[in-house]
Amino acid sequence: MKIVYHRYNSETCQFEPVFPSGSKFIKRALLYLLLSLLTAIPSVYWYINKYSSLQEQQLIHQNNRLVKRWDKLIKDADGLNQQLDSLAWKDDNRYRVLLDLNPLSPEERVAGAGGNEKIPAGIEDLKIIKDGYYQVDKLKNQMQVAQQSFDQLSEATKHKNRMLASRPAIQPIDKKQLTTLHLTFGTRLHPIFNVLMDHKGLDFSAGFGTPVYATADGRVSMAYYSNSYGNVVYIDHGFEYETRYAHLQKFNVQPGNFVKRGDIIGFVGNTGISAAPHLHYEVFLKGKPVNPIHFFQRDLSQAEFQKIIQPTSATTP
Ligand SMILES: [Zn+2]
C-alpha cells in the first residue's frame, strides 16, 4: 500500500495528496524512531527506579525481616554475654576464692574473643553483620573460658573434699562411751616406769571392747603387735597426716585396707605397756606428733570442747 500524506493548500483552500519519495520516507521514519527512543528510554529508566518488580518487592520485604531477626539475635547474644559476665564475677569472687584459686584476669576472660569466626565474603563490611559475628564470637569464647574454669573448680572441689576427708576430725572413741580423756601431751611422769617420758598422744579411758573409730579416711599402713603399743593400728591418711591407735584388745582391719572416717578399726584393750584399758591415740602431721585435741572440733559442741580441754587431775593410764 502506498503511503499518502495530505497537505493543506492555502491557495486552493484544499487538502492535497502528497506522495513522498522513498528516501524521504526512510529519513522521517528514522527520525520518529529516534525521537521515540529518546522519550521511551528515560521513561522506562524512571519507571524501573520508582516501581520495582513484584519479585524485588518480595526480596526487599524478606530482607527487612531478616535484618530485624538478625538485630534481635544480636540483642539476645548481648543479653547472654551479660549473664555470662555475671557468672564470671561469681566464679572469680565466690567460687574460686572459696577453693583457694586465683581469679582469672580480664585478659584470660576475653582471651581469643573477636575475629575467630570468618564472615562470608560480600557482607563483611556491613556493621550489623560485624556486630552479630562479634557478639556470637564473644559468647563462644566466654562459654569456653567458663567451662574451663568450672572444670578447674570441679577438680579443686574434689581435691578439697579428699583433703577434708583425710584430716583427722572426730574422736576415736564415742564421747558417750568415754570414761576419761587424759589431756597430757608432751613430757609426763610415766604411770608404770615412774620417770619423765615423752607422751606423743592422748589417752582415752573406756571399757574393754569399746569400738575405736578411724578419725579420717585413709589406708591402714600397719596393724601389728608391738611390745610397747600392744595391738596398734597405723593409718596413712595422705596429705601428710597419719594416726595411730594403741593398746587395742583386737583389730577390725588389716594392713592395706582402706577405711572411711568413722569405720571401726579395733576395740579398746590393755595390751602392751598399759596400766588399764584405754586407747592411746596419736596424730602425726608431716612426720611430727601434734596434739590430737586440736582435731576434735567436728563432733563436739563448743561447750563440750571447752570442757574436755580443761586440765584434768585424773591419773593417766
Ligand atoms: Zn598414752
Side-chain angles (χ1 to χ4, degrees):
M1 187 179 72
K2 197 158 187 174
I3 296 172
V4 180
Y5 295 95
H6 290 83
R7 182 178 292 162
Y8 182 72
N9 189 337
S10 56
E11 291 179 3
T12 61
C13 295
Q14 287 184 339
F15 283 96
E16 295 173 353
V18 178
F19 301 95
S21 66
S23 61
K24 203 169 181 178
F25 172 77
I26 290 170
K27 279 182 188 173
R28 284 192 176 182
L30 286 174
L31 181 62
Y32 289 145
L33 184 63
L34 183 64
L35 287 172
S36 301
L37 286 174
L38 286 174
T39 310
I41 288 173
S43 301
V44 170
Y45 186 75
W46 173 82
Y47 180 84
I48 288 174
N49 277 295
K50 186 165 176 66
Y51 302 103
S52 45
S53 69
L54 184 62
Q55 190 184 12
E56 280 176 318
Q57 285 182 28
Q58 284 174 340
L59 285 172
I60 289 167
H61 183 63
Q62 192 179 14
N63 192 48
N64 286 337
R65 279 195 339 204
L66 287 173
V67 167
K68 281 181 187 168
R69 282 189 190 176
W70 184 263
D71 223 18
K72 185 176 182 310
L73 284 175
I74 292 176
K75 283 176 186 155
D76 288 349
D78 188 42
L80 289 172
N81 272 315
Q82 286 177 22
Q83 286 183 33
L84 279 171
D85 283 341
S86 170
L87 280 177
W89 186 90
K90 285 182 188 169
D91 184 23
D92 281 337
N93 295 283
R94 293 184 186 163
Y95 312 141
R96 298 183 75 85
V97 170
L98 281 173
L99 293 166
D100 299 323
L101 294 172
N102 289 327
L104 296 180
S105 66
E107 292 75 24
E108 286 171 307
R109 285 277 173 203
V110 298
N116 288 340
E117 285 294 316
K118 188 159 175 57
I119 304 175
I123 56 172
E124 64 268 42
D125 291 333
L126 294 174
K127 185 178 181 301
I128 189 171
I129 298 292
K130 282 200 282 191
D131 287 350
Y133 271 75
Y134 173 77
Q135 289 292 357
V136 171
D137 212 22
K138 188 179 169 195
L139 194 58
K140 285 167 76 176
N141 184 70
Q142 291 241 65
M143 292 279 287
Q144 196 176 0
V145 173
Q147 181 64 53
Q148 287 169 352
S149 181
F150 288 150
D151 286 347
Q152 266 188 327
L153 289 177
S154 174
E155 279 306 307
T157 304
K158 285 179 194 166
H159 179 79
K160 199 98 171 174
N161 284 339
R162 282 197 299 272
M163 192 173 74
L164 289 173
S166 301
R167 187 178 188 272
I170 61 171
Q171 291 188 77
I173 300 283
D174 188 333
K175 57 189 176 188
K176 290 175 187 161
Q177 294 181 282
L178 182 65
T179 310
T180 311
L181 172 60
H182 305 274
L183 292 170
T184 309
F185 178 83
T187 307
R188 67 159 186 182
L189 189 64
H190 196 279
I192 295 175
F193 301 128
N194 205 29
V195 292
L196 285 175
M197 291 181 72
D198 201 20
H199 189 239
K200 295 177 183 172
L202 295 181
D203 293 321
F204 293 74
S205 290
F208 278 109
T210 302
V212 175
Y213 303 104
T215 55
D217 293 4
R219 178 179 165 276
V220 177
S221 53
M222 286 191 275
Y224 70 103
Y225 180 81
S226 150
N227 286 333
S228 55
Y229 277 171
N231 289 325
V232 60
V233 170
Y234 286 47
I235 300 179
D236 180 1
H237 301 283
F239 298 94
E240 304 191 271
Y241 282 110
E242 183 190 67
T243 51
R244 297 175 185 176
Y245 311 78
H247 310 302
L248 300 175
Q249 184 183 50
K250 60 180 181 177
F251 302 119
N252 198 44
V253 288
Q254 293 179 339
N257 287 166
F258 285 94
V259 291
K260 304 291 284 180
R261 177 182 288 138
D263 284 354
I264 296 174
I265 55 167
F267 301 91
V268 169
N270 191 29
T271 54
I273 302 173
S274 172
H278 77 289
L279 170 74
H280 173 85
Y281 173 58
E282 296 176 355
V283 175
F284 282 74
L285 176 59
K286 297 181 181 177
K288 292 182 179 172
V290 289
N291 193 336
I293 196 74
H294 301 304
F295 297 88
F296 292 166
Q297 299 94 324
R298 190 183 172 102
D299 59 346
L300 292 176
S301 68
Q302 187 61 23
E304 288 171 327
F305 181 71
Q306 290 298 330
K307 189 178 171 188
I308 68 163
I309 62 171
Q310 295 299 318
T312 176
S313 58
T315 308
T316 52

